[in-house]
Amino acid sequence: MVATGLRSHSTVHRDVGEESPSPPISSDRYCGGHDEENRVFPRPVSATDEHSALDHPVSLFEHARRLHLLTPQGPLPDGGQPLPDSGDHPNTPSSERKQALLTVLREFISNPALSPQDLHEQCTHLAFGARAVTRTLQELAPEVSPRLLQTARWLVMNGTDRRAVLLGLGLFDGNAEQSDADSIRTIGLLRFVERPAIEALAKIPTAAQDLIWLAERSRNHSRTVAAAALAGHPDPAVRQWVLSTPRDLLSSDLARQIAERYSLAETLGRPVVDDRTWDQLGNLLLAMTSTRNYRYEINRYDQAAVAYQRWVALAGTRPATLERAALLTMIAEDLRTGPAAPVACGIRQDLIDQINDVLTSAPWTDMLNRSAGADDPVEARRGRLDH
């Protein structure tokens, strides 16, 4: 007999050899012209099929890959939720979780007979998250070996439990090679491993484009982590991506790091500074005065006065736009009464006067008047505020 607990919702399985009476076919079920006698109906799901699905759960990597094929240009819907694993874990006191993981890892490292599958099985009996993995590996500091690297690859590619995948990424961190980048960025599409995947990619010297790829499909915080890791990268495309970090994602310390590593003041002193670069560097100056992370950094940027002087001097050569008018106005306020006032020191009033001259020149006042009379209420309000 087939176990009744594995019945399909629509089909009751009978003993082998027992005939199943065919239900009568109503003449109005099909449109005329169909060959009803030879029509093939779908085969009922058997208990064997159901057992196979249960015995071979889909890996989290495969889950991420399938979802990515549906949304290749953006993040996974709901960060990949629901995940195919249950998410269940033992009710272990938090004080014991790190020690339990430490014990399992020590045993695995000391016993070459244990396989990645054995480690995966042990993970399913533990309770831990990404932070516990990081702290445990920092304390354990295992020597990098081909066996541990292969274990990391197996857990990331084949893991059906989120704890095993977290551990695989932890073993990858600082040890992964360029050949691992594709699997790391794919699994990183799942929100629960987004951060450790970003950090693992950031430590592969040649994986800048893979890091950008994942950051653009991740949450805002992961993008800032990626921008900080890539700041100073010599590749022009990577440099442009870092400089294009939206202002609302730039903390003051990140803005200072980018300004220093890409020599903001020197860039503004070049014979040609294109409009996009001028806009981006203005955003960095403005972001360095932000107190969103509880302190501003403009006073720690040694080239601040020179950067302000060169940036303001180029303002009059830029095409007038509403966004640039807002940027100039905010920087003027920073110079007048904000954190930029002390660093600009003796040139502060001269810089403010130069900005006022630009904003009151004919091209800029014409642009602001047009914006103030625009049909779009948001643009109209901004145009009036910038007058």
Side-chain angles (χ1 to χ4, degrees), residues 22-161:
S22 299
I25 300 176
S26 173
S27 59
D28 59 357
R29 284 182 63 187
Y30 306 105
C31 298
H34 284 279
D35 185 358
E36 296 177 10
E37 183 178 349
N38 296 317
R39 185 175 178 84
V40 178
F41 292 92
R43 181 177 62 86
V45 176
S46 70
T48 302
D49 295 329
E50 294 190 20
H51 272 304
S52 179
L54 292 171
D55 293 341
H56 299 87
V58 66
S59 71
L60 291 169
F61 176 85
E62 180 62 16
H63 174 68
R65 190 190 69 81
R66 291 176 184 177
L67 290 179
H68 171 59
L69 292 176
L70 300 176
T71 57
Q73 301 305 319
L76 301 187
D78 298 320
Q81 295 284 353
L83 298 175
D85 71 344
S86 67
D88 295 337
H89 58 78
N91 188 20
T92 308
S94 57
S95 59
E96 300 176 12
R97 294 180 181 183
K98 178 185 167 187
Q99 186 57 47
L101 179 58
L102 199 59
T103 300
V104 166
L105 277 173
R106 280 179 174 148
E107 181 185 4
F108 179 79
I109 292 170
S110 64
N111 186 355
L114 294 175
S115 69
Q117 293 92 325
D118 295 324
L119 183 57
H120 184 287
E121 175 62 21
Q122 288 294 320
C123 287
T124 65
H125 301 293
L126 302 178
F128 60 84
R131 184 175 299 179
V133 170
T134 300
R135 291 176 176 175
T136 301
L137 289 173
Q138 286 174 346
E139 180 176 334
L140 194 58
E143 184 177 348
V144 182
S145 68
R147 176 173 175 253
L148 280 185
L149 193 53
Q150 281 302 115
T151 298
R153 289 172 179 145
W154 193 94
L155 293 175
V156 168
M157 295 285 290
N158 300 283
T160 57
D161 183 276

Side-chain angles (χ1 to χ4, degrees), residues 169-170 172-176 184 195-204 207:
L169 284 170
F172 259 148
D173 193 14
N175 305 313
I184 294 173
R195 180 68 179 269
I198 287 280
E199 292 173 348
L201 286 172
K203 294 176 184 175
I204 303 176

